[in-house]
Amino acid sequence: MRDLAGLQTAVQRRLDELVAGGRELGVQVAAYLEGRLIVSAASGIADESTGLPVTPETPFLCYSVGKGLTSAIVHVLAERGELDYDLRIADVWPEYARHGKRDTTLRHALTHMAGVPVLPSYTMPEDLLDWDRMCHVIAGTTPVWEPGTRHGLHEWTYGWLVGEVVRRVTSRPIGRVLAEEIVRPLDIDREVFFGVPPELAHRVARLKDRTWAAALERLSADLENFDRAVPPGIRPDAALANRHGLVRADIPSAAAVSARGIARVYAAMTAEVDGVRLVSAQRLRTISAVRTAGPDWTTGRDLPKTLGYAAVPGTTRVGWNAAGGGLTGFYPEAGLAVGATRNQLRADDNDPLEGIVAAIHAAVVKV
């Protein structure tokens, strides 16, 4: 067994320093190696108004992290033969066939090549709470490009696009599928959610803006397609996250997770965790392989996609970074799964959480 006992102490010390120095308000970092928890550290305040402390099981609303959970559900169902990546979406969701989308496949959706990243400019927060409305909007969309010919981050639409396929195939809402097929087997029912139950909503960390809202304004000004995929009324910022009702709804492009909980999900994809393994080693290789090339339509930059995830540039990590704070995913070559959350949203060139996770990866590789 690898000797990594000092890693937990080092990460906890670093988180305490970040909070004490005002760099972070509340923060978590967790890591699993070959299915074994090697780091679970937390520091700071979850909610300034109440003084609620952050613990390892505190959920944080993390934009984009939900995409990884949505994808994991698909892979679990595919492992059982209940879904096929080349399923035509319209075969289970007939309304989706309109406007040249009849041959769009689940594979196109998973790789953000479906051509439907756009939402109406007038979309507002209350619309996000209405599953049927959002699916109706997406089904009625004309693709921006021919499905399969290019890729672009489906920032919001990904969750409903893939989630409705799951609902049609299983006859269950995606929040229930997540709970029954992933969360309960992994014993993380207090740490990972689509739609937090009302009686647990008080445990969710309250987000606070530091520099992220200004960064979103710059993205809106600088990127030609950004506002089409991320309309101004539903930018993924602290104000939106703290609206009453948002954390209680199934919005599967976002999720309420602890760092430990989301790392445990990724760990169970890469190895067996307390008797649970979500996908086979062969499927893991399929999931991890990069499927796209060229600049992303939405972000205008390099954002290569695997089957349901992003291959994070500058790292060997596959997963999703949380918009404005945090990161999640796994390192296929190392058998390492990680999660990091924060509640003070920011845009940093030198994100301390990236530095901590990189140090964990380096320590594992050295050993």
Side-chain angles (χ1 to χ4, degrees):
M1 183 175 292
R2 301 181 182 188
D3 181 14
L4 295 168
L7 202 53
Q8 166 71 27
T9 301
V11 172
Q12 184 65 63
R13 182 185 302 116
R14 179 61 177 144
L15 295 191
D16 290 341
E17 291 171 351
L18 290 170
V19 170
R23 187 77 183 267
E24 300 289 353
L25 178 62
V27 62
Q28 300 169 324
V29 172
Y32 280 78
L33 180 63
E34 297 171 355
R36 179 171 62 95
L37 184 66
I38 60 170
V39 172
S40 180
S43 190
I45 300 298
D47 187 338
E48 282 186 306
S49 68
T50 64
L52 184 70
V54 175
T55 71
E57 70 172 19
T58 300
F60 288 65
L61 183 69
C62 296
Y63 296 114
S64 286
V65 168
K67 296 183 183 72
L69 292 171
T70 300
S71 302
I73 290 168
V74 170
H75 299 316
V76 168
L77 295 176
E79 189 78 15
R80 298 177 184 172
E82 297 178 36
L83 267 180
D84 186 277
Y85 300 133
D86 293 314
L87 168 77
R88 293 196 313 176
I89 292 174
D91 287 348
V92 296
W93 182 3
E95 303 92 324
Y96 191 78
R98 288 178 287 171
H99 307 301
K101 303 195 298 298
R102 179 174 299 278
D103 293 326
T104 302
T105 66
L106 182 56
R107 188 184 301 273
H108 290 147
L110 289 168
T111 52
H112 296 251
M113 300 181 79
V116 291
V118 174
L119 284 174
S121 61
Y122 49 80
T123 304
M124 298 302 291
E126 53 268 26
D127 297 322
L128 305 183
L129 310 181
D130 188 334
W131 182 277
D132 290 338
R133 174 183 173 83
M134 298 309 297
C135 290
H136 177 76
V137 168
I138 293 167
T141 297
T142 299
V144 180
W145 61 81
E146 181 183 348
T149 61
R150 67 176 304 172
H151 67 108
L153 181 64
H154 288 45
E155 173 62 27
W156 283 113
T157 59
Y158 184 87
W160 293 291
L161 177 59
V162 179
E164 181 66 1
V165 173
V166 169
R167 190 184 73 83
R168 299 273 176 144
V169 169
T170 67
S171 299
R172 291 176 289 169
I174 195 167
R176 182 177 160 193
V177 178
L178 175 68
E180 293 177 350
E181 308 297 346
I182 294 178
V183 167
R184 289 175 193 165
L186 288 172
D187 195 25
I188 47 175
D189 57 306
R190 289 177 59 82
E191 300 185 45
V192 173
F193 306 91
F194 286 146
V196 180
E199 66 273 16
L200 298 179
H202 69 280
R203 298 179 52 248
V204 180
R206 186 171 180 83
L207 303 190
K208 180 179 180 179
D209 181 67
R210 182 157 180 172
T211 59
W212 181 239
L216 288 171
E217 289 289 348
R218 290 193 298 272
L219 291 172
S220 172
D222 296 343
L223 300 179
E224 178 183 2
N225 299 316
F226 185 77
D227 280 354
R228 298 181 67 188
V230 189
I234 54 168
R235 287 181 182 160
D237 58 16
L240 179 65
N242 293 332
R243 287 180 66 98
H244 180 72
L246 196 81
V247 300
R248 300 183 186 180
D250 279 354
I251 304 176
S253 281
V257 303
S258 70
R260 184 176 64 184
I262 189 65
R264 189 170 174 87
V265 173
Y266 280 112
M269 296 178 68
T270 62
E272 188 174 290
V273 178
D274 294 332
V276 177
R277 177 152 189 176
L278 296 178
V279 300
S280 66
Q282 179 179 353
R283 190 170 302 276
L284 183 68
R285 289 191 291 272
T286 298
I287 291 167
S288 305
V290 173
R291 307 284 175 171
T292 66
D296 180 282
W297 179 89
T298 303
T299 68
R301 59 183 177 85
D302 185 34
L303 188 61
K305 317 296 191 306
T306 75
L307 203 60
Y309 306 94
V312 182
T315 77
T316 58
R317 189 171 70 246
V318 174
W320 285 103
N321 285 352
L327 56 97
T328 66
F330 63 96
Y331 295 83
E333 87 291 353
L336 177 67
V338 297
T341 62
R342 63 156 58 95
N343 57 357
Q344 189 166 241
L345 303 191
R346 58 198 302 154
D348 281 338
D349 291 333
N350 297 304
D351 186 341
L353 296 188
E354 281 284 1
I356 292 169
V357 168
I360 294 172
H361 178 255
V364 167
V365 170
K366 286 178 183 178
V367 173

